[in-house]
Amino acid sequence: MFNFFSQSVKDSQEVLDKGPAKTKQSLWKQLGKAVAGKAYVDEAVLDSLEELLISADVGLETTVKIIERIEQRVARDKYLNTSELNGLVQEEIMALLEEQETSNTAFSTSASPYVILVVGVNGVGKTTTIGKLAAHYQQTGKRIILGAADTFRAAAVTQLQQWGQRVGATVVSKGMHTDPAAVAYDAVKAGIQAQADVVIIDTAGRLHTKVNLMQELYKIRRTISKCLPGAPHEVLLVLDGSTGQNAFVQAKAFTNATNVTALAITKLDGTAKGGVVIGISDQFQVPVRYIGVGERVEDLQVFDRQAFVASLLGNA
Ligand code: GDP
Ligand code: MG
């Protein structure tokens, strides 16, 4: 395992704070409004809290769990002060997320090259996330190969090539409308030959039908594993955090169809819906590994639950 995000905790916290800022503001403000003029946490306060968690896209299932936990606290302590509510919500959300046994450690094998297959629907930020990741790896002296296996969409190959140029990574491509599995195979082969540390493979987010997409991903995986047994070592599903419930639907579809090992949730900079990260962390047994907080190369963070929840509630 190597730690490629060499930023200090403080730096990463700063970027994180810029990320879900709108969420932070609205959750914090609304919580304030809900408790205004009330000394103790009562039914009405809990109703407001429930509403605002749902409006932040935490999702119904996870919201209900959080509210139930707080109700239990209120039942124990009838005169729970509203000023303690924010801290309590943070505590309960953290406790809930900590119950997930998922480890958030990248590079859990010493495989070389380490092959990452990146999947997700169109426009969620796959190629951008690959570019950001490649930049980070490159900065730590890792040798990177990118595979342009999104051969379906017009600008996809060019976009990855531009990222490759920008970060100094080799891009393996066979052009548009070529067989994505063959591109993936060649990328892994090139990775082995060049003794690369990491091979990252981009894929299409849309084919003619959803079934096609899942079948194609299956074929890509099988082909990769023929080239390098045990690969891909990571299947990274990218979700657009600003799409709220859609992100849940996509997480479900992809985790059902393929063995997703990690999640990247993007676009948390421009959304009031950062709660989606909490809901998804709670409901899927797949760790959130990265969050995207902007379009720049440095706008990718290793996900830190504690910092994220604190930031979301305005306690960072
Ligand atoms: P793909 O179709 O999944 O490969 O998505 P792209 O990587 O092409 O990204 C689609 C758009 O989302 C581009 O305009 C990106 O710049 C933008 N994007 C990606 N990640 C983020 C992010 O974290 N924040 C913001 N604001 N935009 C992002
Ligand atoms: Mg793309």
Side-chain angles (χ1 to χ4, degrees), residues 190-247:
I192 295 168
Q193 277 164 2
Q195 293 185 305
D197 299 288
V198 188
V199 175
I200 313 178
I201 296 164
D202 198 8
T203 62
R206 182 170 54 88
L207 294 176
H208 300 292
T209 69
K210 206 161 104 184
V211 172
N212 270 345
L213 176 61
M214 297 308 173
Q215 279 172 351
E216 193 63 63
L217 290 178
Y218 177 72
K219 191 177 152 200
I220 293 172
R221 292 188 60 141
R222 225 184 39 214
T223 311
I224 289 174
S225 72
K226 274 184 200 153
C227 187
L228 181 64
H233 308 96
E234 178 114 304
V235 177
L236 181 68
L237 171 63
V238 182
L239 299 168
D240 177 343
S242 71
T243 61
Q245 293 310 300
N246 249 333

Side-chain angles (χ1 to χ4, degrees), residues 120-130 132 150 153 159 163 202-203 205 238 240 265-270 291-296 299-300:
V121 306
N122 254 351
V124 291
K126 288 184 298 299
T127 309
T128 308
T129 301
I130 291 168
K132 292 170 177 174
D150 178 358
R153 210 162 52 95
Q159 193 190 352
W163 272 108
D202 198 8
T203 62
V238 182
D240 177 343
I265 303 185
T266 63
K267 308 193 194 181
L268 291 169
D269 48 312
I291 59 172
V293 294
E295 297 186 83
R296 298 169 312 164
D299 294 333
L300 186 74

Side-chain angles (χ1 to χ4, degrees), residues 23 52-60 62-63 121 123-124 237-253 263-281 283-284 308:
T23 316
L52 87 90
L53 288 174
I54 287 171
S55 75
D57 265 331
V58 170
L60 187 61
T62 304
T63 297
V121 306
V124 291
L237 171 63
V238 182
L239 299 168
D240 177 343
S242 71
T243 61
Q245 293 310 300
N246 249 333
F248 283 82
V249 173
Q250 288 165 22
K252 197 165 216 161
L263 303 174
I265 303 185
T266 63
K267 308 193 194 181
L268 291 169
D269 48 312
T271 177
K273 308 276 187 182
V276 76
V277 177
I278 292 169
I280 283 178
S281 298
Q283 287 171 43
F284 296 91
F308 186 84

